[in-house]
Amino acid sequence: MTKTARSRTSGRATLADVAARAGVATMTASRAISHPDQVSAALRARVQQAVADLAYVPNRAARALATAESNVIVVLVPSLSNAVFTAVLAGIQDALEADGYQILIGNTRYSDAEEEKLLGIYLQSHPAGILLSGLTHSEKVTQLLASSNLPVVSMMDLASDPNRYSVGFSQLQAGYTMTRYLIDKGRKRIGFMGAQLDERTLKRAEGYRKAMQEAGLYDPQLETMVSDPSTIALGAELLGRMLAVTPDCDAIFCCNDDLAHGAIYQCQRRGIAVPERLAICGFNDLPASAWMNPSVTTIGTPRYRVGYEAASLLRAIIKGTVPAQTRIDLGFTLMARESA
Amino acid sequence: MTKTARSRTSGRATLADVAARAGVATMTASRAISHPDQVSAALRARVQQAVADLAYVPNRAARALATAESNVIVVLVPSLSNAVFTAVLAGIQDALEADGYQILIGNTRYSDAEEEKLLGIYLQSHPAGILLSGLTHSEKVTQLLASSNLPVVSMMDLASDPNRYSVGFSQLQAGYTMTRYLIDKGRKRIGFMGAQLDERTLKRAEGYRKAMQEAGLYDPQLETMVSDPSTIALGAELLGRMLAVTPDCDAIFCCNDDLAHGAIYQCQRRGIAVPERLAICGFNDLPASAWMNPSVTTIGTPRYRVGYEAASLLRAIIKGTVPAQTRIDLGFTLMARESA
DNA sequence: CTGAAAGCGCTTACAG
DNA sequence: CTGAAAGCGCTTACAG
């Protein structure tokens, strides 16, 4: 394999090298690669051969600079270990990959500071649009977003401001629905177990409070809220705390399934009958919830679709389409099972 | 806020705009931003003010082109819904983020074709290095890698070729160890339940076979292998299949915890005593394994550390350090619990 | 269908 | 400590 001179800087074959080897002008080589139909078959073949010979890989930075076009889309999620967000991500990938978008995934770890930092860095890639988790962000993030003037779609909850794009479902409504379900089942001393205390948990807690207050059942003692990341282990621990504070508690609404699973496992170890003595329910319907014994009553959430629809909406906005609606409500489903 | 003229193409403030507003040369503005210490305090302040006034965001593509340096690192994982790889990713982020690397995460979905496609695209970003999952890749991927001439570190298993960089542990050895544990417990008819059939599962199966053969216990009937993604639901289903084929089976080694959880839940539903009638163990020690009832015997794997160490090794190679060893064995831990 | 030239926005030795 | 000039690798109207 004979090699043409390579650029000194990158050590890689450049378009100019390809052109030289194919015996054409650089711009012709460019066209043969980017717009193969605008070029004669013979020339196309020659350029392709040169590309293969030199193992030419286009330089994306140069292309981005020259075209001032961007095919990158930034996605910021608060966690990668949470199955909810990996499902969202899968939806995004499925919606976007056919169009050749490059997805820049940022894990903010539920931290405002991290979100600011990542956004600052990713903005340098001049993305075409941004997919954000949640509605509430720090002032700095809000500013960065505003001055970037880029299309933004928020995922997971619904914005009240009609000028913002959002795809998700009402976290508050879901919290309310689950609580009403427990009340309708005759439970009186219903506890709320919350961890992480992110925006969504807080909204679910709000829905819980609303339902409890309406029913005249509200008692702040019944709320156990901690800011630690929510895990099975934490659910097991919080069950103990909850029962210590309110021993007469007869149901627990966990802000998510991990917590619920941990609480149920702990009940099993302590010989507390679920749901007879204590009803326990979760949120998100993780795979284990349908299989555990008892199976777990929870809220099924359209997380994959949230990602898919949010990405589709963003794509439409980028392409200049005016979307029919700025907020897409994907709803949620109460999955009544054995645990409550 | 007065605006200086903006570039026609991108519509954004450029370094030249910043320089003009600060009343300095472009290159001076560049220096004030990139090497603040090489510039007088007064000038630095003026430039920073201009940056703030114009909400200037550097163009990463231009920088990349001009420096021919790359701070991007490509990471290819086979799944984002598998907790193993999200832990690996967390380790990578922790190891790299302080150095200002930009991580490009690609989800190959256990597909060679997808891996080729993603690698081809990501190579265009001229990464500084690549982190790959597994040792076995398609010929096209191998070729792309070779002609890219980039440092590559493989994660999850150990390469036999000392010229390749790898960080992980012996999947085969781990499979062997778990099987020996069951044999030592007096089990004779030990089944192997495998899904996805990726490289790692196959290696674990190999270890299983080796141990069974050594003990004169091997029987191909005892292997249930399917290529579907491994889930709790699949574990539940495969338990049924396994017991239909080999009703005298007295233990099952599941290639991962999801499968084991599903199998155990199914046993509970069918009234099969675990471990008395049937011992069940898994692989990876997912959080639920320690909490379920019975708790699950499994292999603890250093996935976070795999990511962390692999990224650290790659960073060292990129910086030109010659690493002490090309393969880093992080080992694994047998977690003997109640289910087996 | 093919090519000459300018420019995208930044940085880097080299001078002053 | 500050600046003039060239160049990174590609693409895009505009001609021929």
Side-chain angles (χ1 to χ4, degrees):
Chain A
M1 167 171 139
T2 322
K3 303 212 180 185
T4 318
R6 297 262 169 114
S7 132
R8 194 161 40 95
T9 313
S10 70
R12 290 189 165 82
T14 67
L15 229 208
D17 297 329
V18 170
R21 180 172 246 268
V24 299
T26 306
M27 68 154 307
T28 306
S30 169
R31 206 157 21 207
I33 291 169
S34 303
H35 309 284
D37 47 301
Q38 294 176 22
V39 123
S40 71
L43 194 153
R44 202 184 314 143
R46 254 194 303 154
V47 172
Q48 279 167 354
Q49 186 57 247
V51 165
D53 290 349
L54 300 174
Y56 169 67
V57 176
N59 183 324
R60 174 182 226 81
R63 170 168 226 291
L65 229 206
T67 60
E69 265 177 32
S70 167
N71 68 336
V72 355
I73 286 188
V74 168
V75 182
L76 260 27
V77 292
S79 166
L80 281 181
S81 48
N82 185 332
V84 170
F85 292 104
T86 55
V88 168
L89 248 20
I92 293 171
Q93 291 185 300
D94 285 348
L96 256 25
E97 70 177 2
D99 290 75
Y101 282 107
Q102 176 159 115
I103 304 170
L104 241 39
I105 301 171
N107 178 2
T108 68
R109 304 171 190 226
Y110 290 103
S111 149
D112 276 1
E114 192 70 19
E115 185 166 56
E116 290 165 8
K117 186 187 146 201
L118 287 173
L119 188 58
I121 292 174
Y122 287 156
L123 245 22
Q124 301 184 182
S125 296
H126 286 226
I130 301 178
L131 254 16
L132 243 43
S133 302
L135 264 16
T136 313
H137 300 278
S138 71
E139 203 179 328
K140 176 133 181 249
V141 164
T142 309
Q143 255 176 239
L144 280 173
L145 253 22
S147 66
S148 81
N149 209 22
L150 254 27
V152 176
V153 175
S154 300
M155 306 184 289
M156 300 314 286
D157 207 339
L158 271 9
S160 46
D161 177 352
N163 290 315
R164 294 179 62 179
Y165 295 104
S166 61
V167 177
F169 60 92
S170 169
Q171 302 281 344
L172 190 149
Q173 194 55 242
Y176 179 85
T177 299
M178 180 56 96
T179 310
R180 276 262 24 126
Y181 168 84
L182 291 169
I183 294 171
D184 291 346
K185 282 255 176 180
R187 304 286 171 166
K188 304 282 182 213
R189 298 287 288 161
I190 305 168
F192 183 88
M193 189 185 281
Q196 192 69 64
L197 305 191
D198 58 289
E199 201 183 325
R200 288 159 290 286
T201 295
L202 265 17
K203 286 285 186 189
R204 291 168 202 165
E206 235 181 273
Y208 156 82
R209 265 175 229 131
K210 185 173 165 225
M212 291 295 275
Q213 277 158 352
E214 281 180 11
L217 258 23
Y218 184 65
D219 172 1
Q221 292 265 76
L222 287 165
E223 290 187 17
T224 301
M225 310 276 267
V226 300
S227 60
D228 312 57
S230 82
T231 61
I232 292 178
L234 183 63
E237 192 203 320
L238 292 186
L239 177 93
R241 269 201 236 177
M242 189 134 220
L243 258 23
V245 177
T246 51
D248 63 335
C249 172
D250 60 9
I252 301 179
F253 174 13
C254 302
C255 77
N256 66 45
D257 277 5
D258 289 313
L259 253 31
H261 297 170
I264 290 174
Y265 290 137
Q266 187 69 293
C267 284
Q268 291 174 171
R269 294 182 179 190
R270 293 193 180 190
I272 299 171
V274 177
E276 297 76 7
R277 156 75 184 83
L278 190 61
I280 294 184
C281 58
F283 202 104
N284 273 329
D285 196 16
L286 297 187
S289 288
W291 285 96
M292 281 177 59
N293 302 296
S295 59
V296 185
T297 294
T298 185
I299 297 282
T301 56
R303 40 195 186 270
Y304 174 89
R305 285 196 60 217
V306 166
Y308 193 92
E309 297 300 334
S312 303
L313 176 57
L314 183 61
R315 193 206 313 95
I317 301 168
I318 291 171
K319 304 236 188 231
T321 313
V322 178
Q325 39 184 347
T326 57
R327 48 136 75 187
I328 300 179
D329 186 350
L330 261 20
F332 56 84
T333 315
L334 175 57
M335 312 294 286
R337 294 201 272 240
E338 298 167 352
S339 73
Chain B
M1 168 170 138
T2 322
K3 303 212 179 186
T4 318
R6 297 263 169 118
S7 133
R8 194 160 40 97
T9 312
S10 70
R12 292 189 164 81
T14 68
L15 229 208
D17 298 330
V18 170
R21 179 171 246 267
V24 298
T26 306
M27 69 154 305
T28 307
S30 169
R31 205 154 26 207
I33 292 169
S34 302
H35 307 286
D37 47 301
Q38 293 176 23
V39 123
S40 72
L43 194 154
R44 202 184 314 142
R46 254 194 304 151
V47 171
Q48 279 166 354
Q49 186 56 248
V51 165
D53 291 348
L54 300 174
Y56 170 67
V57 176
N59 183 324
R60 172 180 229 81
R63 172 169 226 290
L65 230 206
T67 61
E69 265 177 31
S70 166
N71 68 337
V72 355
I73 286 188
V74 168
V75 182
L76 260 26
V77 291
S79 166
L80 281 181
S81 47
N82 184 332
V84 169
F85 292 105
T86 55
V88 168
L89 248 20
I92 294 171
Q93 291 185 301
D94 285 349
L96 256 27
E97 71 177 3
D99 290 75
Y101 282 107
Q102 178 159 116
I103 304 170
L104 242 38
I105 300 171
N107 178 1
T108 68
R109 305 172 189 224
Y110 290 103
S111 149
D112 276 0
E114 192 70 20
E115 186 167 54
E116 290 165 8
K117 186 186 146 202
L118 287 173
L119 188 58
I121 293 174
Y122 287 157
L123 245 23
Q124 301 184 180
S125 296
H126 285 225
I130 301 178
L131 254 16
L132 242 43
S133 302
L135 265 14
T136 313
H137 301 278
S138 72
E139 204 180 328
K140 174 132 182 251
V141 164
T142 309
Q143 253 177 240
L144 280 172
L145 254 22
S147 67
S148 81
N149 209 22
L150 255 26
V152 176
V153 175
S154 300
M155 305 183 290
M156 300 314 286
D157 206 340
L158 272 7
S160 46
D161 177 352
N163 290 315
R164 295 180 60 180
Y165 296 104
S166 60
V167 177
F169 59 93
S170 169
Q171 303 280 343
L172 190 149
Q173 194 55 241
Y176 179 85
T177 299
M178 180 56 96
T179 311
R180 276 258 30 119
Y181 168 84
L182 291 169
I183 293 172
D184 291 345
K185 283 256 178 182
R187 304 285 170 166
K188 305 281 181 213
R189 299 288 287 163
I190 306 168
F192 184 88
M193 189 185 282
Q196 191 69 64
L197 304 190
D198 58 289
E199 202 184 324
R200 287 160 290 287
T201 295
L202 264 17
K203 285 286 186 187
R204 291 167 201 165
E206 235 181 274
Y208 156 82
R209 265 175 229 131
K210 185 173 165 225
M212 291 294 275
Q213 277 158 352
E214 281 180 9
L217 257 25
Y218 183 66
D219 173 1
Q221 291 266 77
L222 286 165
E223 290 187 15
T224 301
M225 309 277 267
V226 300
S227 60
D228 312 56
S230 81
T231 59
I232 292 178
L234 183 64
E237 192 203 321
L238 292 186
L239 177 92
R241 268 200 237 177
M242 190 133 220
L243 258 22
V245 176
T246 51
D248 63 335
C249 173
D250 60 10
I252 300 178
F253 174 12
C254 302
C255 77
N256 66 46
D257 277 6
D258 289 313
L259 253 30
H261 297 170
I264 289 174
Y265 291 137
Q266 188 68 294
C267 283
Q268 291 173 170
R269 293 183 180 191
R270 294 194 180 189
I272 299 171
V274 177
E276 296 76 7
R277 157 73 184 84
L278 189 62
I280 293 182
C281 58
F283 202 104
N284 273 328
D285 195 16
L286 297 187
S289 288
W291 285 97
M292 282 177 58
N293 301 295
S295 58
V296 185
T297 294
T298 185
I299 297 282
T301 56
R303 41 194 185 270
Y304 174 89
R305 284 197 62 217
V306 166
Y308 193 92
E309 297 299 333
S312 302
L313 176 56
L314 183 61
R315 194 207 311 94
I317 301 168
I318 291 171
K319 304 236 189 234
T321 314
V322 178
Q325 39 184 346
T326 58
R327 48 137 75 187
I328 299 180
D329 186 351
L330 262 19
F332 55 86
T333 315
L334 175 57
M335 312 294 286
R337 294 201 272 240
E338 298 167 353
S339 72

